Amino acid sequence: PDYSIKTSQRLFALNQRSFLSSLVYIEHKDSKIDPSTLNTLVAAKQIGGPISALVAGSNAQEVAQAVSKIDGVEKVIVANNPIFDHNLAEAITPLLLAVQKAENPTHVLASHNSVGKRILPRFAALIDSQQISDIIKVVDETTFVRPIYAGNALETVQSSDSVKIITVRSSSFPQAEAGSSSAAVSEAPTPEVSVKSKWIGEEVTKGDRPELGSAKIVVSGGRAVKSKEGFDLIQKLADKMGAAVGASRAAVDAGYCDNSLQVGQTGKIVAPQLYIAIGISGAIQHLAGMKDSKVIVAINKDADAPIFQLADYSLVGDLFTVVPEMIEKI
Ligand code: FAD
């Protein structure tokens, strides 16, 4: 056998490993780190090597201080400039390119949400790298697992690109926590930025309920609630349980609730400790967004509803009788 080949392959792998380093794009709002970023940092930690965090925007300096205390972060790169506000892809991409050039990370990561999904593909195209989207597991520094076909199959992908561009499914990784160390904070290089699109505004539904993506309990309603007033029952039960409110696409499309509540393939992906599906049939597109929940309770008047095949606890009954009773008893 030609051992020299194996040895050189091993040396190459070792060499690769010793140069491993990740750059994580930090999302933040109102001077607070977005919780999904904390999951992305854990994915970066599992890849191995030192982690740099990029914080951009007009209050980046303030956020950088908090990021510097997070376990695993070795360096925080700050671009304190209002041009980077609102995560506009045209502005952030040149910044990422400049940081990439200066730091030479082997992995660049962001959360698999509307921000990561609009920034990283542009960056990946510009550095001629194949993006690896929505990973749920790090096998090793080149190999990742991601769901495909609305979560009906898992694909293991191996990348030989020199820079791996990755978006991370938040619900599949724990959140990084503040540690005792404090990472170095440095200024990002200043790229030339020409932005042709403009941020006009946003309408955010604000409430006292926990955020859907990170809540421990989610109570979701489907088409069966029949009206906005019917959906109030779902909200009342959620409030009793300190839960976030979710919905099926049918409930959203019918106008019973806001579309920010949609759970599923084209909505939010959640994996709470407890998911209660009320009047939801269990279409695969809905299951794609909640099937990793730890305990699933389904309430449906049809004993053959597909959701019951996935549920840990099944309650066959009319939601208009069952839910008021639950609200009263809790
Ligand atoms: P239905 O399928 O109509 O089910 C209603 C259920 O309520 C039934 O099981 C019925 O038995 C039960 N019911 C009726 N009355 C009562 C009562 N009084 N008490 C108790 N139970 C009752 N869907 C999503 O949810 N999320 C997505 O992200 C999503 N993305 C999609 C993407 C694509 C490309 C496509 C094609 C579809 C997508 N859908 C999505 C739609 C999905 O296919 C289903 O149409 C949708 O999930 C159905 O919603 P539902 O379960 O509320 O309604």
Side-chain angles (χ1 to χ4, degrees), residues 223 248-249 262-263 265-266 281 285-286 300 318-319:
R223 196 197 308 268
S248 71
R249 174 156 148 187
Q262 186 174 318
V263 171
Q265 185 187 339
T266 41
S281 59
Q285 294 90 353
H286 187 80
N300 199 301
D318 188 324
L319 75 91

Side-chain angles (χ1 to χ4, degrees), residues 24-209:
V24 174
Y25 182 72
I26 304 291
E27 253 180 82
H28 58 95
K29 200 165 188 196
D30 303 328
S31 303
K32 288 203 183 85
I33 306 166
D34 186 272
S36 69
T37 298
L38 300 172
N39 307 99
T40 303
L41 283 162
V42 167
K45 211 172 162 191
Q46 290 179 5
I47 290 169
I51 300 172
S52 299
L54 173 62
V55 191
S58 43
N59 52 356
Q61 202 71 48
E62 206 181 326
V63 179
Q65 292 311 319
V67 176
S68 71
K69 295 189 178 64
I70 294 173
D71 191 31
V73 176
E74 291 200 7
K75 186 174 182 182
V76 186
I77 303 158
V78 186
N80 209 77
N81 188 327
I83 197 159
F84 301 125
D85 284 347
H86 311 300
N87 301 299
L88 287 182
E90 294 99 318
I92 303 292
T93 313
L95 174 65
L96 271 176
L97 284 169
V99 175
Q100 164 70 27
K101 209 169 159 200
E103 302 288 323
N104 232 344
T106 52
H107 296 70
V108 179
L109 298 95
S111 303
H112 188 75
N113 55 19
S114 56
V115 172
K117 282 195 264 186
R118 79 171 172 255
I119 294 174
L120 286 204
R122 179 180 275 253
F123 174 61
L126 288 168
I127 65 163
D128 198 18
S129 193
Q130 164 74 54
Q131 176 167 313
I132 306 159
S133 299
D134 200 16
I135 66 158
I136 58 165
K137 189 176 170 195
V138 174
V139 179
D140 60 35
E141 68 270 25
T142 58
T143 318
F144 309 92
V145 179
R146 56 184 297 265
I148 53 170
Y149 303 130
N152 282 305
L154 296 180
E155 180 182 58
T156 302
V157 290
Q158 190 161 46
S159 166
S160 56
D161 278 334
S162 55
V163 184
K164 290 158 192 59
I165 315 285
I166 297 165
T167 58
V168 176
R169 182 177 289 204
S170 306
S171 57
S172 298
F173 294 87
Q175 293 195 333
E177 287 171 10
S180 50
S181 57
S182 189
V185 179
S186 64
E187 292 278 321
T190 341
E192 224 173 87
V193 178
S194 119
V195 182
K196 289 187 180 134
S197 61
K198 198 165 130 195
W199 186 84
I200 304 287
E202 65 183 359
E203 283 171 41
V204 183
T205 322
K206 279 206 169 148
D208 297 333
R209 297 194 183 97

